Amino acid sequence: MTAEPLEHFLDRHEQLTAPFPASLPLVLRRVHESDLPELQRLDAEVFQEVAYPGFLLRQLYDMYAEHFLVLDDGTGRLRGYVLAGTTALGRDSWILGLGVTHDRRRNGLGRELMTAVLDRLRRAGIEQVRLTVEPTNRAAILLYRSLGFDPEEPDGGLRPDYFGPGMHRRILRLDLTRGR
Ligand SMILES: CC(C)(COP(=O)(O)OP(=O)(O)OC[C@H]1O[C@@H](n2cnc3c(N)ncnc32)[C@H](O)[C@@H]1OP(=O)(O)O)[C@@H](O)C(=O)NCCC(=O)NCCS
């Protein structure tokens, strides 16, 4: 990965060409309005029946573009994204989306996306970040746990029917003030 922390590049140039271990160099950058159709395609590819409807992605972009990062492969295709939503008055935030296309998984990209957005949240003065994850989503849970997320008690973070009947979720939380 880059010798210099990712966020230093993002600060100076708003984008970074990183030597990701894939056939094409991917650019990690903030989302642009013109990305929205491709972002919707990517979200549908990764999340299928639980993908965001296009109108909601549009409004999430309107509200949270600061914390909306994509992986651009340079051919017009996006290969991953992460989105964090922040509260207006508090110092709270939620990861609202994280996905990498199948063909690019297990290359450290999910971790790069998360690390980049967590750095941005920290620098914006956000104090905690939470997320929901399917209790059976081992890959995502291992990634989040390795980044320092812990279950939000009670019940080890398990929230039955959180998104409706049968749609259980686990809530994980990271204290962003640790180590400040
Ligand atoms: C979760 C997801 C974003 C991970 O992206 P990725 O680029 O493959 O992840 P990384 O290569 O950065 O892996 C980071 C860590 O995640 C864990 N991990 C990722 N994929 C894993 C798998 N298939 N099995 C076990 N652990 C896995 C490992 O701890 C890994 O660290 P390691 O490589 O040191 O072992 C990706 O699998 C994805 O898009 N899944 C579908 C969408 C989704 O579930 N999003 C999260 C919703 S809460």
Side-chain angles (χ1 to χ4, degrees):
M1 292 296 141
T2 51
E4 186 173 354
L6 199 53
E7 283 305 292
H8 295 183
F9 282 92
L10 289 170
D11 270 355
R12 289 204 311 271
H13 306 305
E14 288 209 357
Q15 71 176 40
L16 162 71
T17 302
F20 291 116
S23 48
L24 282 171
L26 294 173
V27 174
L28 176 51
R29 61 166 173 80
R30 277 174 54 179
V31 71
H32 304 145
E33 187 173 1
S34 57
D35 292 321
L36 286 172
E38 169 60 10
L39 187 62
Q40 191 181 348
R41 187 208 59 76
L42 168 68
D43 194 52
E45 178 186 328
V46 172
F47 290 102
Q48 301 180 15
E49 70 280 358
V50 293
Y52 286 124
F55 74 87
L56 183 55
L57 266 185
R58 160 89 235 184
Q59 297 216 288
L60 290 170
Y61 164 81
D62 289 339
M63 291 187 70
Y64 303 125
E66 279 286 303
H67 300 121
F68 209 151
L69 306 175
V70 293
L71 288 167
D72 183 341
D73 77 0
T75 72
R77 286 250 155 168
L78 299 178
R79 302 293 181 157
Y81 83 93
V82 65
L83 162 65
T86 55
T87 56
L89 299 176
R91 302 209 171 273
D92 201 0
S93 65
W94 286 83
I95 300 297
L96 299 176
L98 169 71
V100 172
T101 54
H102 271 288
D103 59 322
R104 300 299 180 106
R105 286 183 194 164
R106 299 307 320 248
N107 282 310
L109 297 174
R111 187 183 299 285
E112 286 290 333
L113 285 163
M114 280 300 296
T115 303
V117 84
L118 293 176
D119 284 350
R120 294 183 79 84
L121 291 171
R122 271 193 200 92
R123 286 187 297 112
I126 302 297
E127 292 178 352
Q128 75 162 353
V129 57
R130 285 178 285 172
L131 57 84
T132 72
V133 59
E134 259 191 87
T136 57
N137 190 344
R138 186 165 169 270
I141 290 171
L142 285 171
L143 167 59
Y144 298 137
R145 296 285 281 158
S146 75
L147 290 167
F149 283 81
D150 290 318
E152 184 169 75
E153 297 304 339
D155 302 326
L158 193 61
R159 302 290 184 274
D161 303 324
Y162 187 79
F163 283 142
M167 298 176 76
H168 316 315
R169 287 295 183 273
R170 196 171 285 278
I171 297 188
L172 304 182
R173 176 184 181 277
L174 177 67
D175 180 353
L176 293 171
T177 65
R178 254 188 280 163
R180 259 189 199 163

